[in-house]
Amino acid sequence: MKAFRLDELEAERAANDGAYLQFLRERNMSVGLYALNAGENDPQQPHRQDEVYMVVSGRASITVGMETTEVARGSVVYVPAGVAHKFHHISEDLRVLVVFSPPER
């Protein structure tokens, strides 16, 4: 078993000065913590993998392809591989678990 604590992952991510911390990588998936602060721009480009976002804290909007929705704690969003997507209008610091399948390279 592998178990993780969100507060420890957040501390590790912050200590490494990055917006993204991959903390699990297996044969069929990878999982990371993505952080964007209020007012920040999301620099993401489309990925080659399907991905699922689960918002653990914060508030923002996300646009996936041509669709936009507001997200907050508890929101789950699926993004198909190759589709443009961005978080925007980040009104509260955003922390998101990201699951990639297959694993992100």
Side-chain angles (χ1 to χ4, degrees), residues 2-66:
K2 296 178 184 177
F4 305 92
R5 288 182 42 127
L6 213 51
D7 57 342
E8 293 171 355
L9 295 172
E10 174 62 14
E12 183 179 348
R13 184 206 57 77
N16 289 309
D17 294 326
Y20 183 71
L21 171 70
Q22 183 181 92
F23 62 88
L24 178 66
R25 183 178 180 86
E26 297 294 335
R27 187 170 52 90
N28 293 317
M29 65 177 221
S30 62
V31 184
L33 177 64
Y34 189 43
L36 293 165
N37 293 326
E40 198 170 355
N41 291 321
D42 182 1
Q44 291 192 82
Q45 298 296 319
H47 304 284
R48 294 181 182 174
Q49 305 84 359
D50 288 340
E51 59 187 311
V52 173
Y53 291 112
M54 181 179 168
V55 178
V56 294
S57 65
R59 290 187 170 281
S61 294
I62 186 171
T63 299
V64 178
M66 301 298 289

Side-chain angles (χ1 to χ4, degrees), residues 46 62-69 77-86 88:
I62 186 171
T63 299
V64 178
M66 301 298 289
E67 296 180 84
T68 299
T69 191
V77 177
Y78 167 69
V79 179
V83 175
H85 58 285
K86 295 225 185 267
H88 52 92

